[in-house]
Amino acid sequence: MFGTMMDNPLSITLIIEHANQIHGEKYVYSLSPDGKIHNYTYSNLYSRTMKLADAITQLGIQQGEVIGTFSSNNHQHLELCFAIPISGSVIHPLNIKLSPVQLSKIIREADDKIIFVDGMIYDKYVNLCNQIEGIYSIVFNLQNSQNELSCEYEKLLTNARDNYTTDIQDENMAMALCYTSGTNGEPKGVLYTHRSMLLHTLAVNQADVFGLTEADVVMPLVPLYHAMGWGLHYAAMFVGADLVLTDPINQHIIDLIAETKVTVAAGVPTLWKKLIPELLKRKNDVPSLQRIIVGGEPMPEDLIEIYEKELNIEIRHAWGMTEMSPTGTFSILKKKHQKLSDEEKYKIKALQGQPIPGVQLRLVDENQCILPNDGICVGEVQVKSPWTANSYFKKGLDDSLTKDGWLRTGDLATINEDGYMKIVDRSKSLIKSGGESISPMELEAALLKHPLVTDSSVVGISDEKWGERPIAVVAISDQDSDDISEILREHLSKDFPKFWIPDKFVIVEKIPKTGLGKTDKVAIRRTLDGVFTK
Amino acid sequence: MFGTMMDNPLSITLIIEHANQIHGEKYVYSLSPDGKIHNYTYSNLYSRTMKLADAITQLGIQQGEVIGTFSSNNHQHLELCFAIPISGSVIHPLNIKLSPVQLSKIIREADDKIIFVDGMIYDKYVNLCNQIEGIYSIVFNLQNSQNELSCEYEKLLTNARDNYTTDIQDENMAMALCYTSGTNGEPKGVLYTHRSMLLHTLAVNQADVFGLTEADVVMPLVPLYHAMGWGLHYAAMFVGADLVLTDPINQHIIDLIAETKVTVAAGVPTLWKKLIPELLKRKNDVPSLQRIIVGGEPMPEDLIEIYEKELNIEIRHAWGMTEMSPTGTFSILKKKHQKLSDEEKYKIKALQGQPIPGVQLRLVDENQCILPNDGICVGEVQVKSPWTANSYFKKGLDDSLTKDGWLRTGDLATINEDGYMKIVDRSKSLIKSGGESISPMELEAALLKHPLVTDSSVVGISDEKWGERPIAVVAISDQDSDDISEILREHLSKDFPKFWIPDKFVIVEKIPKTGLGKTDKVAIRRTLDGVFTK
């Protein structure tokens, strides 16, 4: 028997309509090309967005066609995040850090019909232009000095009609195309739907997840092309929080937090590590900042301690994947943990955490048998949720999905009795030495704890005797340190068995990163090939 | 173009699976027949629920068939709230306050196949038995003294298999049948779906709505037969909060709050008014209580003031309907209101509030034109959300739905610029006197503010000269007060025009209530007929 409830499609239209009607006076802040803070209200955002949606349909874009964006975080990008899906087409935020060759390949696969380009990074876009001839681009956010480019974006808005009404009839319509980081092979596209994005928004706005409220001022220091900026802009707008838009590379983040009174910020651990000295110095400038959402990579215990103890800022540590929209787990303390010592608390907070309501997690062994949540058994994490991908764009069903419909994450982990997951490593990156497994991730985390180490990566290289042996590539703060290898060897010996200690410590200036800011192990291997063939 | 996301059905199975796997050690407290507090964990609840679901299918109940419950709030009723829908059938919580004649009519319409009966109120059920011959009943929660009844419930559990797995393939399957209060005519059934209930749960768990967390201990003082107890049990379990189950008529509520350290409670304003003297006296016994969710009827400003100022308990004032699962609006302050005086704050909190994320509200006039949100225009409230009914059980589409798919609530209200709704009255209960409208609700609220008045109801009776005139029926605390009519007339004259003042004040011992605890205007009219024909 079916129910008698309305069959309103779940759609992101609900978010912007709500923000406009109930929180129309709240603000969106972003940086202008002149370096000043631009601000306008949700009502302004709404009327510009509806005009933009109208303009997009007037450009002849059909339902389901893909539109690229090549942009930093700013209010125009936010407008595009709503206007494109509301017009029935699909937004495809391009990773501006990828090479023109990588990007053009992705753009061809996605079949982008138009690309909206941020004038502030037009020089980067120019390099891409030759590769993607024939694709029409529309530029916004122009500096005065770039007057040779016409700012067609504002012209589009001026000419658009005012009374656009959206008509998302099917909640399973695609609304965004996001590519994975491609750390294991080629980047693959995930097609988020209106349904999955609205559900993700409701799920992360639970009090125990992002926990955003109308009183918050939210600053996502996550580019929109990373799994749609972790959905923070949608989440903030649905509750009526103010939004502050900028990029993690902004040199004046602390000034911006002080000026706009940010209460919740979000970003990757390396950013939060980098900001510590300035934050410690300018603690009194940013009393508004209460909470930081950290994801993308594991947040080390000692970083959590500095933020919580010295800066009095709560850390909420998350884990997810582009395939999960992206939020999967959240590490916050349970009531029973309140009586623990600070050190024990930080240990728990450094775990990847519990699945958020709506997400299911399980561990399986190599034979696809389900393992117990005992904090000991290590298995592959498999996930299921209404906001998880079941296939990839134009790839169809591949072996990422189990027969019973769970997504294989490729991450190895334990889950304890309280449901807290701890990622041990990527299943494909474990180093097999003499039949035993060595986890590069654990070694990297331990290396990072040494005060001289600013970044590190551990990879396995073939070894006649042992099959594989670990090599550590390390960036250090003091290039003149003597005997750094000996120091690090001793440092690791405290925590790891002898066979885990890397055979060699290669000191580099900088660890190479992928366009998504993750360690580029392929580039590292190339460097090592150089070292070992010398 | 469709997305590449999993099409997992939204279902309440997700709630109990999550509670069991992630919060298995959290508690459900409820009162045993011997008056002691029964408690068990979510893990215990889960295994009993899965056995019960198996037992229900073994009883031969088919998918989509309806099962009644006749019960107070207790852990068995909670088990039934999950087991029945998980087995594919539909739970129908019967309002134990209705008369046997009313109930049997509803049971026949619903076509209940079995009724699960709470042994603690078996004497009430006996009166119903003659009217519903042939319907099999299963009793639980028996006192020792009732040994003549066999406790089949526990036998069912003992005999059930342990490995029941649910298979809710379609999220639009009905999971619960709830009847409206029937203040305007016959009670009508609403068939909640797995989808609507899961979405309602996610929506109310937003930080700015119920805002429940794992650290909470939640006590719903709302019977499950009132729009499924406002969904509080589902909401609390999804975040892993402890649950305390009892009824609003329990004489030892404050003891129970003290003993189980309740942090969030929920109920109707009359209950909170009744509890004030004891709460003021025993303030130090219940320091855990932080927040109260109030709905069902408007919460007067002065009550809000006592709770927030004298008891330091936050009031979150809600409005909804059985047709809305039931949550529609929530009245909490915006950031900009924090600088207001306490009195101004209570005024805002006494409004019905803003639509929660996902709910859309609009005001329309008699010609179905949409009115502005200016805080002045009065119109009928119409609503839309993925958890709102679009028709009634076995009634099909009636005139409750507008042509463009909005539910007519029958409530008259204003909505201000900030989106806060204020209910002015039921559209059908306005008194038309000399062409002008008089709002019984506003008069009732004003009467309640007088210290002598414990309850009141204002109705219109026909009048040759004016068409209709208001009559006030008033329950007072001091039956010996002289000139009470004169006192109340003067009291009202301060706030209302002369023609609003009721022609007569009828003093009664108690205002008659419907089974849902709402003022029974039909019974009042009958009483008045007696008064005026004397």
Side-chain angles (χ1 to χ4, degrees):
Chain A
M1 180 161 64
F2 292 109
T4 60
M5 309 307 279
M6 290 182 175
D7 56 354
N8 293 17
L10 305 177
S11 130
I12 61 154
T13 315
L14 285 171
I15 298 173
I16 195 166
E17 293 281 355
H18 189 79
N20 176 49
Q21 277 169 29
I22 311 301
H23 304 290
E25 84 286 6
K26 300 305 292 285
Y27 281 96
V28 180
Y29 301 92
S30 66
L31 286 185
S32 298
D34 59 8
K36 291 196 184 128
I37 299 178
H38 171 277
N39 74 62
Y40 66 9
T41 64
Y42 281 171
S43 288
N44 300 140
L45 169 72
Y46 179 80
S47 61
R48 282 172 59 92
T49 297
M50 289 300 157
K51 283 185 163 203
L52 186 56
D54 180 62
I56 288 167
T57 56
Q58 285 194 45
L59 283 169
I61 302 295
Q62 303 295 309
Q63 297 254 325
E65 287 187 331
V66 179
I67 296 176
T69 60
F70 187 90
S71 177
S72 312
N73 284 356
N74 49 50
H75 68 274
Q76 295 94 336
H77 209 177
L78 182 63
E79 288 162 10
L80 289 160
C81 270
F82 282 102
I84 296 173
I86 282 175
S87 78
S89 41
V90 179
I91 182 169
H92 173 205
L94 292 163
N95 184 343
I96 60 176
K97 289 193 191 143
L98 294 182
S99 71
V101 174
Q102 290 173 304
L103 272 177
S104 63
K105 205 170 157 191
I106 288 174
I107 291 168
R108 270 195 299 271
E109 180 178 277
D111 194 15
D112 291 354
K113 298 298 177 201
I114 308 180
I115 297 176
F116 282 91
V117 182
D118 180 354
M120 283 177 79
I121 50 171
Y122 195 81
D123 49 344
K124 276 192 185 179
Y125 185 72
V126 168
N127 302 325
L128 176 61
C129 282
N130 313 334
Q131 313 264 350
I132 52 166
E133 266 174 50
I135 299 182
Y136 184 54
S137 63
I138 296 171
V139 185
F140 58 85
N141 220 6
L142 277 178
Q143 299 181 56
N144 293 336
S145 60
Q146 291 173 314
N147 269 343
E148 68 273 20
L149 287 169
S150 146
C151 188
E152 285 188 62
Y153 188 85
E154 294 299 327
K155 267 188 234 152
L156 277 182
L157 288 177
T158 312
N159 297 332
R161 288 163 302 193
D162 228 353
N163 55 350
Y164 185 79
T165 52
T166 176
D167 192 25
I168 305 299
Q169 292 289 351
D170 190 324
E171 63 191 30
N172 293 309
M173 273 172 63
M175 57 76 62
L177 175 59
C178 287
Y179 275 80
T180 60
S181 61
T183 39
N184 294 314
E186 291 291 299
K188 289 183 277 190
V190 177
L191 267 177
Y192 298 154
T193 62
H194 277 274
R195 170 185 165 104
S196 67
M197 191 51 83
L198 192 81
L199 288 170
H200 180 266
T201 306
L202 285 169
V204 295
N205 273 342
Q206 310 282 291
D208 269 343
V209 188
F210 292 175
L212 303 180
T213 71
E214 184 270 341
D216 278 317
V217 180
V218 180
M219 181 191 245
L221 292 168
V222 189
L224 270 168
Y225 50 79
H226 284 187
M228 292 293 277
W230 305 354
L232 275 152
H233 49 303
Y234 292 135
M237 283 183 61
F238 214 13
V239 302
D242 290 321
L243 253 180
V244 185
L245 300 174
T246 186
D247 284 319
I249 50 158
N250 181 339
Q251 294 301 308
H252 305 285
I253 285 176
I254 311 293
D255 292 330
L256 201 53
I257 292 175
E259 211 155 330
T260 57
K261 299 194 173 55
V262 169
T263 60
V264 181
V268 295
T270 40
L271 172 68
W272 300 117
K273 187 168 183 180
K274 195 183 83 181
L275 288 176
I276 285 177
E278 196 181 348
L279 273 171
L280 285 172
K281 222 182 296 164
R282 301 184 56 191
K283 215 163 136 175
N284 296 331
D285 292 350
V286 290
S288 60
L289 190 59
Q290 294 159 15
R291 190 188 309 151
I292 287 175
I293 297 161
V294 189
E297 289 195 348
M299 178 81 167
E301 263 167 73
D302 57 338
L303 272 196
I304 296 175
E305 178 167 352
I306 295 173
Y307 272 90
E308 299 221 329
K309 216 176 215 167
E310 297 184 38
L311 290 164
N312 202 21
I313 295 170
E314 184 200 357
I315 295 293
R316 293 203 176 179
H317 184 201
W319 167 88
M321 302 168 75
T322 302
E323 290 87 337
M324 299 182 76
S325 297
T327 317
T329 63
F330 236 70
S331 197
I332 63 170
L333 299 178
K334 288 191 140 193
K335 185 166 62 171
K336 67 176 178 186
H337 296 138
Q338 293 305 337
K339 55 177 184 283
L340 297 178
S341 71
D342 283 352
E343 283 59 38
E344 288 170 305
K345 283 182 188 167
Y346 303 141
K347 254 194 202 12
I348 294 169
K349 295 194 112 182
L351 301 173
Q352 274 62 50
Q354 303 171 314
I356 66 171
V359 170
Q360 293 171 280
L361 282 189
R362 70 180 187 189
L363 288 185
V364 299
D365 67 13
E366 287 157 2
N367 304 315
Q368 281 296 304
C369 292
I370 295 170
L371 297 170
N373 289 359
D374 58 7
I376 297 164
C377 288
V378 174
E380 188 194 31
V381 182
Q382 299 186 343
V383 296
K384 210 177 186 179
S385 83
W387 48 91
T388 295
N390 69 1
S391 64
Y392 292 100
F393 178 61
K394 293 193 177 169
K395 302 268 189 299
L397 287 170
D398 62 9
D399 64 354
S400 305
L401 214 67
T402 66
K403 275 183 198 152
D404 57 345
W406 293 69
L407 182 79
R408 297 179 218 269
T409 65
D411 281 332
L412 293 178
T414 60
I415 301 179
N416 71 17
E417 292 84 351
D418 289 324
Y420 287 82
M421 179 177 76
K422 181 186 177 183
I423 299 277
V424 176
D425 218 313
R426 297 283 307 167
S427 57
K428 288 175 187 161
S429 67
L430 276 193
I431 298 165
K432 294 278 188 184
S433 180
E436 301 285 342
S437 292
I438 297 170
S439 160
M441 212 174 91
E442 288 188 50
L443 286 171
E444 288 160 8
L447 282 167
L448 256 185
K449 283 188 185 163
H450 194 280
L452 282 176
V453 175
T454 57
D455 204 353
S456 78
S457 173
V458 174
V459 295
I461 62 155
S462 358
D463 183 277
E464 270 192 26
K465 187 167 176 193
W466 300 106
E468 264 189 319
R469 286 300 299 149
I471 301 291
V473 180
V474 185
I476 56 172
S477 55
D478 178 5
Q479 294 277 345
D480 298 329
S481 301
D482 291 336
D483 286 334
I484 183 74
S485 301
E486 203 41 52
I487 293 169
L488 295 178
R489 197 165 283 129
E490 249 174 59
H491 171 69
L492 292 179
S493 299
K494 281 178 272 173
D495 291 332
F496 298 102
K498 206 175 156 202
F499 78 93
W500 274 54
I501 310 301
D503 283 2
K504 205 174 160 63
F505 292 82
V506 178
I507 309 302
V508 293
E509 260 181 57
K510 220 174 142 192
I511 301 285
K513 301 283 172 183
T514 67
L516 279 160
K518 298 200 175 186
T519 298
D520 186 344
K521 297 230 170 181
V522 178
I524 286 173
R525 282 177 191 288
R526 269 201 304 271
T527 316
L528 289 182
D529 283 350
V531 172
F532 286 93
T533 53
K534 255 179 217 166
Chain B
M1 181 161 62
F2 292 111
T4 60
M5 309 307 280
M6 291 182 176
D7 56 354
N8 292 18
L10 304 177
S11 128
I12 61 155
T13 314
L14 285 171
I15 298 173
I16 194 165
E17 292 282 355
H18 189 80
N20 176 50
Q21 278 170 28
I22 311 301
H23 304 290
E25 84 287 5
K26 301 303 292 285
Y27 281 96
V28 179
Y29 301 92
S30 66
L31 286 186
S32 299
D34 60 8
K36 290 194 184 132
I37 299 177
H38 171 276
N39 72 63
Y40 67 7
T41 65
Y42 281 170
S43 288
N44 300 139
L45 169 71
Y46 179 79
S47 60
R48 282 172 59 92
T49 297
M50 288 301 157
K51 283 186 162 202
L52 186 56
D54 180 61
I56 289 167
T57 56
Q58 286 195 44
L59 285 168
I61 301 296
Q62 304 294 310
Q63 297 252 325
E65 287 187 331
V66 180
I67 296 177
T69 60
F70 187 90
S71 177
S72 312
N73 283 357
N74 49 49
H75 67 274
Q76 296 94 335
H77 208 177
L78 182 63
E79 288 161 10
L80 289 160
C81 270
F82 283 101
I84 296 173
I86 281 175
S87 78
S89 41
V90 179
I91 182 169
H92 173 205
L94 292 163
N95 184 342
I96 60 175
K97 289 193 191 144
L98 295 182
S99 71
V101 174
Q102 290 174 303
L103 271 176
S104 62
K105 206 170 157 193
I106 288 174
I107 290 168
R108 271 195 298 271
E109 180 178 278
D111 194 15
D112 292 353
K113 298 299 177 202
I114 308 180
I115 297 177
F116 283 91
V117 182
D118 181 356
M120 283 177 78
I121 50 171
Y122 195 81
D123 50 344
K124 276 193 184 176
Y125 186 70
V126 168
N127 301 326
L128 176 61
C129 282
N130 315 333
Q131 313 263 351
I132 52 166
E133 267 173 49
I135 299 183
Y136 184 54
S137 62
I138 296 171
V139 185
F140 57 86
N141 221 5
L142 278 177
Q143 299 181 56
N144 294 335
S145 60
Q146 291 175 315
N147 269 343
E148 69 273 20
L149 286 169
S150 148
C151 188
E152 285 189 61
Y153 188 85
E154 294 300 328
K155 268 189 232 152
L156 278 182
L157 288 178
T158 312
N159 297 331
R161 287 164 303 194
D162 229 352
N163 56 349
Y164 185 80
T165 51
T166 176
D167 192 24
I168 304 300
Q169 291 289 351
D170 190 325
E171 63 190 31
N172 293 309
M173 273 173 64
M175 57 75 62
L177 175 57
C178 288
Y179 275 81
T180 60
S181 61
T183 39
N184 294 314
E186 291 291 300
K188 289 183 277 190
V190 178
L191 267 177
Y192 297 154
T193 62
H194 277 274
R195 171 185 165 104
S196 67
M197 191 53 81
L198 192 80
L199 288 170
H200 180 265
T201 306
L202 285 169
V204 295
N205 273 342
Q206 311 281 292
D208 268 345
V209 187
F210 292 176
L212 304 180
T213 72
E214 184 270 341
D216 279 317
V217 180
V218 180
M219 182 191 244
L221 292 168
V222 188
L224 270 169
Y225 50 80
H226 283 187
M228 293 291 277
W230 304 354
L232 276 153
H233 49 303
Y234 292 135
M237 283 182 62
F238 215 13
V239 302
D242 291 321
L243 254 179
V244 185
L245 300 175
T246 187
D247 284 319
I249 51 157
N250 181 339
Q251 294 299 309
H252 306 285
I253 286 176
I254 312 292
D255 292 331
L256 201 54
I257 292 175
E259 211 154 328
T260 57
K261 299 194 172 56
V262 168
T263 59
V264 180
V268 294
T270 40
L271 171 68
W272 300 116
K273 188 169 184 180
K274 195 182 82 181
L275 288 176
I276 284 177
E278 196 181 348
L279 273 171
L280 285 172
K281 224 182 297 165
R282 300 185 55 192
K283 214 164 138 175
N284 296 331
D285 292 351
V286 291
S288 60
L289 190 58
Q290 294 159 16
R291 190 187 310 150
I292 288 174
I293 297 161
V294 189
E297 288 195 349
M299 178 81 167
E301 264 167 72
D302 56 339
L303 273 196
I304 296 176
E305 177 166 353
I306 295 174
Y307 272 90
E308 300 221 328
K309 216 178 216 166
E310 298 185 36
L311 291 163
N312 202 20
I313 295 170
E314 185 199 356
I315 294 293
R316 292 203 177 180
H317 183 200
W319 168 86
M321 302 168 75
T322 303
E323 290 88 337
M324 299 183 76
S325 299
T327 317
T329 63
F330 237 70
S331 197
I332 64 171
L333 298 177
K334 288 190 139 193
K335 185 165 64 171
K336 68 176 178 185
H337 297 137
Q338 294 306 338
K339 55 177 185 285
L340 298 178
S341 71
D342 284 352
E343 282 59 38
E344 288 169 306
K345 284 182 188 167
Y346 303 141
K347 255 195 202 12
I348 294 170
K349 295 194 112 183
L351 301 174
Q352 274 62 50
Q354 304 170 315
I356 67 170
V359 170
Q360 293 171 279
L361 281 190
R362 70 179 187 190
L363 288 184
V364 299
D365 69 12
E366 287 156 2
N367 305 316
Q368 281 296 304
C369 292
I370 296 170
L371 297 169
N373 290 0
D374 58 6
I376 298 164
C377 288
V378 175
E380 187 193 31
V381 183
Q382 300 186 343
V383 296
K384 210 177 188 180
S385 83
W387 48 90
T388 295
N390 69 1
S391 64
Y392 292 100
F393 178 61
K394 293 193 178 168
K395 301 269 188 298
L397 287 169
D398 63 6
D399 64 353
S400 305
L401 215 67
T402 65
K403 274 182 198 151
D404 57 345
W406 293 68
L407 182 79
R408 295 179 220 269
T409 66
D411 282 330
L412 294 178
T414 60
I415 300 179
N416 71 18
E417 292 83 353
D418 289 324
Y420 287 81
M421 179 178 75
K422 182 186 176 183
I423 300 276
V424 176
D425 217 314
R426 297 283 306 167
S427 56
K428 287 174 188 163
S429 67
L430 277 192
I431 298 164
K432 294 278 187 183
S433 181
E436 301 283 343
S437 293
I438 298 170
S439 160
M441 211 173 91
E442 286 188 51
L443 287 170
E444 287 160 8
L447 283 167
L448 255 185
K449 282 189 185 162
H450 194 281
L452 281 176
V453 174
T454 57
D455 204 353
S456 78
S457 174
V458 174
V459 295
I461 61 156
S462 351
D463 184 276
E464 270 193 25
K465 188 169 174 191
W466 301 107
E468 264 189 318
R469 286 299 300 149
I471 302 290
V473 181
V474 185
I476 56 171
S477 56
D478 177 5
Q479 294 278 342
D480 298 330
S481 300
D482 291 336
D483 287 332
I484 183 73
S485 301
E486 203 40 53
I487 293 169
L488 295 178
R489 195 165 285 130
E490 250 175 59
H491 170 70
L492 292 179
S493 300
K494 281 178 273 172
D495 292 332
F496 298 102
K498 208 174 156 202
F499 78 93
W500 273 54
I501 311 300
D503 283 1
K504 203 173 161 64
F505 293 83
V506 179
I507 309 302
V508 293
E509 260 182 56
K510 219 176 143 189
I511 302 285
K513 301 283 173 182
T514 67
L516 280 159
K518 297 201 176 184
T519 299
D520 186 344
K521 297 229 169 181
V522 178
I524 287 172
R525 283 178 190 288
R526 268 201 305 272
T527 316
L528 289 182
D529 283 350
V531 172
F532 287 91
T533 52
K534 257 180 215 164

